[in-house]
Amino acid sequence: MQCPACGFATTEFKSFNQAVGHGVSAIHLRLRGNVCANCGDAVLESKSYQRLTAAQNKWVDEHNRSETLRLRQQLNVTQRELAELMGIGTLAVSRYERGTTTPAPTFLRLLRAMVKHPNIMADLRAN
């Protein structure tokens, strides 16, 4: 099989280790697929692809949950106060922190900005 990434003439079917995420929360998987000897890119077999996708989704959900909680605590506000500032329901904030719902990327970006620039929170409270 020719490598779809770099066009190298051959790939080798083999098993390899892959980490999803980083640090202590990383998920380590054993995957199988055609690996290019030139660029290292891989075309995974179907089962490996499904396992990788599931692990990526799990890691993102866990990371978003812990980040929402951590950022709210840094802002020193309750779930209700954060919900009012963001114009959403308290239940939504609770679900984000429990990991039952994934927050929109803009929600997390605004939370990060509020931590970095406290004047944003003051502006939101004033309006």
Side-chain angles (χ1 to χ4, degrees), residues 80-94:
R80 177 174 294 206
E81 290 169 324
L82 180 61
E84 288 171 3
L85 288 170
M86 300 296 254
I88 61 175
T90 305
L91 186 57
V93 176
S94 173

Side-chain angles (χ1 to χ4, degrees), residues 14-67:
K14 62 183 183 177
S15 297
F16 56 94
N17 295 320
Q18 178 71 44
V20 174
H22 52 84
V24 295
S25 66
I27 300 169
H28 299 276
L29 301 170
R30 186 84 176 148
L31 303 174
R32 295 167 27 115
N34 290 307
V35 180
C36 177
N38 185 49
C39 71
D41 200 26
V43 176
L44 300 176
E45 67 178 0
S46 179
K47 287 182 182 181
S48 288
Y49 177 77
Q50 291 169 359
R51 287 178 43 243
L52 177 62
T53 302
Q56 289 170 329
N57 290 337
K58 178 181 177 186
W59 190 86
V60 166
D61 288 346
E62 289 174 0
H63 181 72
N64 286 343
R65 177 183 69 229
S66 63
E67 185 175 19

Side-chain angles (χ1 to χ4, degrees), residues 99-118:
T100 57
T101 305
T102 302
T106 52
F107 176 87
L108 290 172
R109 281 196 296 267
L110 182 54
L111 267 181
R112 289 183 207 115
M114 289 165 67
V115 167
K116 208 175 213 182
H117 307 283

Side-chain angles (χ1 to χ4, degrees), residues 67-99:
E67 185 175 19
T68 300
L69 175 61
R70 180 182 56 79
L71 291 170
R72 181 179 63 78
Q73 289 172 338
Q74 284 181 319
L75 291 169
N76 197 29
V77 295
T78 65
Q79 288 181 346
R80 177 174 294 206
E81 290 169 324
L82 180 61
E84 288 171 3
L85 288 170
M86 300 296 254
I88 61 175
T90 305
L91 186 57
V93 176
S94 173
R95 286 179 177 160
Y96 297 160
E97 291 183 3
R98 287 182 285 130

